[in-house]
Amino acid sequence: MRISLREQLLAAIFAGIIAILSQVTIPLGLIPLTLQTFIIGLTVTILGSKTGTWAITIYLLLGLIGIPVFAGGSAGFGVLFGPTGGFLIGFIFNGLVTGSILDNTKKNYFWAVIANIVGAMVTLAFGTAWLKFGTGMEFIAALKTGFIPFIIPGIIKAVACGLLGIFLLRRLPQRYFAPIK
């Protein structure tokens, strides 16, 4: 996969935006409610599958090497591979799925919302599975902790991502964003 310098720069800029918005956190027990999932969806909606997923990967690598970019200013292997790390790793799959849907359909409000809802559910499913296996939690307990409480907020954020992403994409300079796939 070849990524142009322009795409690399856009990915780096969006990785920084993800890092900043990840600090907006509402603690809800083991798994906080954050703007990470919102900005992940928005990033992929605007940048597309390849560049958007690359931005997410850069963000995760920054946190992995110890830069405090994860929710609450956390970082490191312990966070990425800890009980809630599956949600972070799930962001990559969210980006791939959301981006793939958008890359293979019309870039309009309807498909952007659908793609972001599907991507949000992918993140929740991946994170819940990781939570179950990483902590030895019962499946129902993992669902009650990592999936069910986040369905409605996830859908709300996904709808906002789809609507705002297409709105911004139509208003951003086409020479920077239009040909990105």
Side-chain angles (χ1 to χ4, degrees), residues 90-169:
F91 290 157
I92 293 173
F93 297 99
N94 178 335
L96 291 170
V97 168
T98 302
S100 178
I101 292 170
L102 289 171
D103 289 347
N104 293 302
T105 59
K106 293 182 179 181
K107 282 212 175 185
N108 60 31
Y109 290 110
F110 174 79
W111 283 111
V113 167
I114 296 299
N116 276 284
I117 289 172
V118 172
M121 294 305 120
V122 166
T123 297
L124 290 178
F126 198 92
T128 301
W130 187 290
L131 187 63
K132 188 242 182 285
F133 293 110
T135 64
M137 219 181 248
E138 293 293 325
F139 181 69
I140 297 299
L143 274 176
K144 288 180 181 178
T145 304
F147 196 92
I148 294 170
F150 300 99
I151 292 173
I152 300 299
I155 291 172
I156 291 168
K157 288 189 272 186
V159 169
C161 288
L163 297 177
L164 183 61
I166 296 300
F167 176 82
L168 291 174
L169 195 56

Side-chain angles (χ1 to χ4, degrees), residues 70-94:
F70 298 145
S74 59
F77 281 96
V79 176
L80 195 58
F81 296 106
T84 60
F87 295 96
L88 294 168
I89 300 293
F91 290 157
I92 293 173
F93 297 99
N94 178 335

Side-chain angles (χ1 to χ4, degrees), residues 33-53:
L33 184 64
T34 70
L35 284 184
Q36 280 174 314
T37 50
F38 172 77
I39 193 61
I40 294 295
L42 189 62
T43 296
V44 176
T45 301
I46 292 173
L47 297 182
S49 180
K50 181 175 73 170
T51 309
T53 303

